[in-house]
Amino acid sequence: MTSHPAFPPPPGARAYALRTSRGEFAVVDSSPSPEAGGEERGVVLMLPGFTGSKEDFRLLHEPLAQRGYRVVAVDGRGQHESTGPLDDESVYAQRELARDVLAQAAALGGPVHLVGHSLGGQIARAAVLLDHSPFVSFTLVSSGPAEISVSQQQRVKLLRDALAVLSMAEVWEAIEAMGPPEEVGGPARGLGDQDQLRRRWLGHSPAQLLATGRQLCTEPDRVAELAAVPLPFHVLSGTHDDTWPVAILDDMALRLDAHRTVITGAEHSPNADQPLPTAHALADFWDGLGRP
C-alpha cells in the first residue's frame, strides 16, 4: 500500500496490508465502536465492483461499527492499492480471484459475513461455490445473476477498446473529456474529488480491468448452483439499476429464497447513495441470523 493514500480511512478505521496465503491485499478495517459496548457481533468482508475499491464502502464502516460489526473492505488483486500484474490477464481469471477471497477470509479467522458489490458479488459467488465453509452469510449488493445489461456491455467495450491503445493516464483524460466519469465507464460518483478518483484509477491494473470487464459481459447464470449452497442469502439493491434491472434482482432473490432489501433513493451503489439505510439493512439481516 502507498504511504500517501488517496483516501484517508474513515473515523475509527485503519488501513493496512492483510497478509494471506495468496499474498497481501490492501484493506480498511474498522472494529466495533464504544456505542456497541466493544462487543463484536461478527466480522464482515466486503468486495468492491468494477473500477471500484475498498473506499466504496467507507460510509458503511461507522454505522456498522455502532451495531457491533467489524468491517474489512478489501481491494482485490490489481485494484487500487492491491498490486497485480499489469499485462497478464490470467491471474485475474474469476477462479483465481475467488481463491483470493477464500484466502482473505481465512486470514481474518472466519467465519465471516461476505458482501459483494456488483462485480464483487460475482467474484464472491464464485468463492462461495468453491468453498462456502468460511462464510456465515452472503449478501449480493446490486449484483445480478448473469451478464450485465446491453448498455453496460457497450460501455465496458468502449473502455476495453481504449485500454488496447492508450495508457491508463490517457484513458482517464479521455473519460474526463467525455463527461462525468460514472456515465462513461469511469469510477462511480460520490467517493471524492477528481484528483482522488484519478489516483485511484491509476492504481488499477489494466489487465485486471480487461479481464474482469470481459467476465461481466459473459458471466453465466449460476443461481441454481448458488441456491444449493446451505447459506443464508441477502439481495440488496437500489430502486433503479442500469447494470442489472431491479426486476431481474427481484427474480434472483426469489430463486435463492433470499432476504430482499430495496433501498429507497439509491441506484447501483446504495452503499454510496444511501449509506445509513444500507448499513441498517445489512446489520438487521445479520442480527436476525444470530451469532456465527
Side-chain angles (χ1 to χ4, degrees), residues 4-286:
H4 300 286
F7 299 91
R14 62 191 183 102
Y16 64 93
L18 177 69
R19 294 183 178 179
T20 80
S21 61
R22 288 177 60 83
E24 295 187 347
F25 296 89
V27 301
V28 172
D29 186 339
S30 57
S31 298
S33 64
E35 291 94 326
E39 184 181 14
E40 186 176 286
R41 297 187 60 84
V43 180
V44 183
L45 176 62
M46 293 190 163
L47 313 181
F50 186 62
T51 75
S53 70
K54 60 191 179 302
E55 286 74 25
D56 293 339
F57 306 110
R58 66 188 305 182
L59 299 178
L60 300 183
H61 283 269
E62 191 169 8
L64 288 176
Q66 291 172 354
R67 294 287 294 267
Y69 289 93
R70 176 188 175 194
V71 176
V72 182
V74 61
D75 286 336
R77 187 178 301 276
Q79 281 185 319
H80 192 203
E81 294 180 318
S82 290
T83 59
L86 301 181
D87 54 7
D88 179 6
E89 293 186 39
S90 66
V91 300
Y92 304 112
Q94 189 185 76
R95 185 179 180 88
E96 293 303 307
L97 298 178
R99 291 176 64 198
D100 288 345
V101 176
L102 295 175
Q104 293 156 9
L108 295 175
V112 302
H113 295 287
L114 183 61
V115 177
H117 174 236
S118 196
L119 169 71
Q122 297 200 332
I123 293 170
R125 179 172 74 177
V128 168
L129 291 174
L130 278 178
D131 181 6
H132 70 271
S133 64
F135 310 112
V136 68
S137 75
F138 177 25
T139 298
L140 293 131
V141 177
S142 303
S143 184
E147 76 279 359
I148 56 178
S149 66
V150 172
S151 64
Q152 291 298 320
Q153 289 185 43
Q154 292 170 345
R155 292 181 181 181
V156 170
K157 184 180 185 301
L158 283 173
L159 176 58
R160 289 173 53 194
D161 289 347
L163 287 171
V165 295
L166 301 173
S167 69
M168 289 290 287
E170 290 169 334
V171 171
W172 180 258
E173 291 174 4
I175 287 173
E176 284 194 306
M178 290 169 62
E182 71 275 4
E183 295 181 7
V184 291
R189 66 182 183 278
L191 264 175
D193 60 32
Q194 289 299 95
D195 179 63
Q196 289 174 309
L197 292 175
R198 181 180 184 277
R199 289 172 63 188
R200 181 176 73 161
W201 172 262
L202 295 178
H204 276 70
S205 159
Q208 190 269 353
L209 293 172
L210 289 168
T212 56
R214 186 176 296 108
Q215 290 167 28
L216 284 170
C217 295
T218 59
E219 178 73 3
D221 189 320
R222 304 185 71 186
V223 175
E225 292 176 70
L226 186 62
V229 174
L231 279 180
F233 301 116
H234 183 192
V235 175
L236 185 149
S237 74
T239 52
H240 178 74
D241 198 314
D242 288 332
T243 306
W244 287 279
V246 171
I248 289 178
L249 301 177
D250 290 339
D251 178 70
M252 181 179 70
L254 288 173
R255 294 167 64 194
L256 290 172
D257 192 23
H259 183 72
R260 180 73 172 107
T261 301
V262 178
I263 303 295
T264 301
E267 297 188 9
H268 185 60
S269 298
N271 41 295
D273 296 337
Q274 295 289 340
L276 196 56
T278 298
H280 288 328
L282 290 169
D284 288 347
F285 171 64
W286 299 326

